[in-house]
Amino acid sequence: MTSDYYKAMKHSQKERFICIYPAYLNSRRTLADGRKIPKSYSVDNPTAPEIRDVCIALGFNAIIENKCYPRERDKDLLSRGRVRVQFRSDDDGEPLIPTCPTRIELFKQSGQLIPKLKTRMAGSSSKSGESTAPSSGGAAAQQGKKNKKKKR
């Protein structure tokens, strides 16, 4: 009965869009935790807006929903969100973009393009600059660790 329901709907309706959770592309997750692609294609902590931007750049219709991945342990706002993507055309049900014939191929291409986003490049250069510069906060943290060891 549900198959008749979906057959009556067009592929351009939001309910027929495929879902992409950031966990599908996260390199810090295992396959058992929800990663869908090999680590060579995955990205370190992708976000829903990044996935949406990449899908739009590839030529898909994409929207963000404020949903949480069911296997997510922590329900913080940074890991929330899922992207709905129109994968098939209304005319014949074929994939919209011939270079992405399957969902997994779309996940792989998204994983390869997310590190090339301007937001990723700008964020990584400032983070690397901060990590290489010595700070007094790091020394204080190390001093605290030494004190903890002495108390044992």
Side-chain angles (χ1 to χ4, degrees):
M1 190 168 182
T2 58
S3 63
D4 294 335
Y5 173 74
Y6 283 110
K7 286 180 184 176
M9 298 174 78
K10 293 184 178 183
H11 288 285
S12 61
Q13 292 178 326
K14 187 179 94 165
E15 291 81 14
R16 292 291 302 265
F17 287 14
I18 64 169
C19 294
I20 304 175
Y21 288 97
Y24 292 174
L25 310 176
N26 195 346
S27 63
R28 293 187 178 193
R29 294 207 171 236
T30 63
L31 291 174
D33 286 338
R35 182 171 40 88
K36 300 274 186 188
I37 56 175
K39 275 201 171 185
S40 60
Y41 293 103
S42 59
V43 184
D44 187 31
N45 291 330
T47 61
E50 290 174 339
I51 297 170
R52 182 206 52 210
D53 293 343
V54 167
C55 289
I56 290 173
L58 287 172
F60 291 101
N61 298 331
I63 56 172
I64 293 182
E65 294 179 336
N66 188 21
K67 298 287 184 176
C68 189
Y69 186 55
R71 294 186 193 176
E72 192 72 42
R73 291 184 189 105
D74 55 341
K75 307 288 185 188
D76 62 346
L77 294 175
L78 296 175
S79 63
R80 288 186 68 93
R82 78 173 171 199
V83 180
R84 302 282 306 243
V85 179
Q86 181 183 356
F87 189 69
R88 301 194 177 275
S89 65
D90 279 340
D91 301 333
D92 53 2
E94 293 295 317
L96 279 175
I97 309 299
T99 58
C100 296
T102 63
R103 294 176 58 206
I104 299 299
E105 192 61 36
L106 172 61
F107 297 164
K108 288 179 181 178
Q109 287 192 13
S110 297
Q112 289 177 336
L113 291 176
I114 287 175
K116 298 176 184 176
L117 289 173
K118 290 181 182 177
T119 55
R120 280 280 172 142
M121 290 183 178
S124 65
S125 64
S126 66
K127 287 180 184 174
S128 64
E130 292 173 1
S131 65
T132 57
S135 64
S136 61
Q142 290 176 354
Q143 186 68 21
K145 289 180 183 176
K146 289 180 183 177
N147 289 338
K148 287 181 182 178
K149 289 181 181 177
K150 289 179 183 178
K151 289 179 182 178
R152 288 185 185 175

